[in-house]
Amino acid sequence: MGMEIETTEEGLLARAPAKLNLHLSVSPPRADGYHDIDSIFQAVSLYDEIRFAPAAGDEISLVEDGIAEAERNLVYRAAVLLRDLGRARGKECGGVRISLCKHIPFGSGLGGGSSDAAATLVSLNRIWGIGATRDDLVALGARLGSDVPFFLFGGTARCRGRGELVTPLHDLFDAAEPLHYAILAPAIHVPTPQVYAALDRLRPRGIALTQTSVIDSIAPVDLLELSAKGAVFSNDLEMAAYRLFPELEEIASRMRQEPFLSVRMTGSGSALFGLCRSAQEAARLTDRLRAQLGENVRVRVFGVQSLPGLRWTDRDGSARRR
Ligand code: C5P
């Protein structure tokens, strides 16, 4: 399922999903240093878990896997930003204890930190009774990171601007069967700004963006069929990441020996994913890759499926699975 929030004895438990970039084209750098992108994001079934418990006083505390976390953490920053909004609207917004259990590898292009931040906005909006709309949370999310707004929609979406301008696509094909992917996440933390900078160095100035026109020329309703075939799409950041971390290209080559419909990097890496023909094939390929890669390379292998989008109820500011 997509971002899921359930009531527990202590408060709320949120499950924050990972994402894959099925397509990612990148423009030359803007005046503010960011790059305009044109990307298709897909939420997938690999989750972090975040627990929220109201606490006495007004302190926001965050523990990650049992360890007290620095205030730089995106979850903490999301909580502070939402509390400011709530208090500006006259809500009390008392203390809360947050504990984060990570399963999505960090620095892998799978969007774990951004998804955690989005789940925090939605959960605390409910706990504090702020009644913020999705648009309110999207605006806060965009201040936290370019990928945060996507996770307030989930499912499949086209994301433009620096990533924060989200057009959901899942309404077009919600009834479709899920797609199955194998994700290989090497123990390499890729610094996103360095990958964008490496791409700028690799490219002549003012290069024309052929990939953007590829997406522009496709009717949105046909994107599903193309996604299912792994066709047309690409990721401009791949060549830059492979230049910085040649071992990623070796893993991609290894994956291309298997019968995946397509093999691609997600975001700025380091995770790679292969599209499988079926759930059975995904299980078989993940088992095989795990057995082969597990011994000498530090690579984690996950089998995941695509997730439907969230249904949003502005009345109570809550997100539910479609
Ligand atoms: O928005 P976020 O904080 O996730 O971005 C991290 C870094 O990635 C930015 O500081 C920037 O260097 C790079 N970035 C970019 N263009 C984007 C998204 C991110 O250059 N569209």
Side-chain angles (χ1 to χ4, degrees):
M1 286 175 266
M3 179 203 296
E4 257 187 79
I5 297 173
E6 62 183 75
T7 308
T8 62
E9 272 182 26
E10 296 83 33
L12 293 178
L13 166 62
R15 300 176 79 220
K19 58 88 172 160
L20 298 174
N21 294 94
L22 305 184
H23 175 82
L24 176 56
S25 51
V26 180
S27 294
R30 313 192 304 200
D32 65 1
Y34 280 92
H35 298 69
D36 278 324
I37 65 167
D38 192 354
S39 184
I40 298 176
F41 279 58
Q42 174 65 59
V44 293
S45 59
L46 170 64
Y47 302 91
D48 287 341
E49 288 167 342
I50 318 172
R51 291 184 155 73
F52 301 88
D58 70 351
E59 194 197 351
I60 296 169
S61 67
L62 172 64
V63 167
E64 180 176 332
D65 296 324
I67 300 163
E69 251 302 309
E71 299 186 353
R72 270 179 324 171
N73 188 294
L74 223 45
V75 166
Y76 186 86
R77 290 175 46 207
V80 171
L81 215 51
L82 185 71
R83 185 176 62 183
D84 290 347
L85 177 80
R87 289 190 174 164
R89 292 186 178 182
K91 302 286 176 185
E92 192 179 333
C93 303
V96 63
R97 263 183 299 122
I98 308 173
S99 59
L100 175 57
C101 180
K102 297 285 294 177
H103 300 287
I104 304 170
F106 169 77
S108 61
L110 292 166
S114 302
S115 187
D116 297 344
T120 300
L121 292 175
V122 174
S123 301
L124 292 179
N125 187 34
R126 215 187 274 188
I127 285 185
W128 285 331
I130 296 173
T133 62
R134 171 147 61 185
D135 285 349
D136 293 332
L137 300 190
V138 164
L140 293 186
R143 290 168 59 189
L144 292 163
S146 306
D147 293 350
V148 178
F150 163 72
F151 288 102
L152 296 163
F153 296 85
T156 317
R158 184 175 177 186
C159 299
R160 282 172 279 191
R162 59 187 168 85
E164 86 284 22
L165 306 177
V166 182
T167 309
L169 297 170
H170 39 252
D171 285 343
L172 298 169
F173 40 77
D174 240 6
E177 289 296 307
L179 300 179
H180 298 270
Y181 299 92
I183 297 175
L184 271 71
I188 298 173
H189 297 176
V190 171
T192 300
Q194 279 184 35
V195 178
Y196 275 101
L199 177 65
D200 295 338
R201 286 195 301 275
L202 283 169
R203 273 175 164 174
R205 278 180 189 278
I207 191 166
L209 282 170
T210 49
Q211 283 91 348
T212 301
S213 58
V214 165
I215 297 200
D216 270 335
S217 65
I218 298 168
V221 72
D222 293 332
L223 287 170
L224 173 67
E225 200 187 334
L226 291 168
S227 304
K229 288 180 180 154
V232 180
F233 305 148
S234 60
N235 179 347
D236 283 351
L237 294 178
E238 263 176 41
M239 60 174 163
Y242 293 168
R243 191 65 71 93
L244 292 174
F245 301 98
E247 53 275 50
L248 295 184
E249 193 161 19
E250 285 166 29
I251 296 170
S253 307
R254 174 68 197 80
M255 288 177 78
R256 288 201 186 92
Q257 292 165 23
E258 301 292 342
F260 290 116
L261 291 168
S262 67
V263 172
R264 201 162 301 128
M265 190 178 82
T266 177
S268 56
S270 59
L272 296 148
F273 62 97
L275 172 62
C276 306
R277 279 166 221 278
S278 65
Q280 292 79 354
E281 178 116 310
R284 189 174 68 80
L285 293 178
T286 49
D287 281 351
R288 185 153 82 197
L289 286 165
R290 225 174 250 139
Q292 289 180 4
L293 291 165
E295 285 160 24
N296 36 31
V297 198
R298 288 173 57 218
V299 184
R300 290 163 74 192
V301 183
F302 304 94
V304 300
Q305 65 178 53
S306 60
L307 298 171
L310 296 175
R311 171 169 291 159
W312 187 271
T313 323
D314 277 345
R315 185 173 45 80
D316 62 356
S318 64
R320 289 200 192 86
R321 192 187 168 218
R322 213 165 254 284

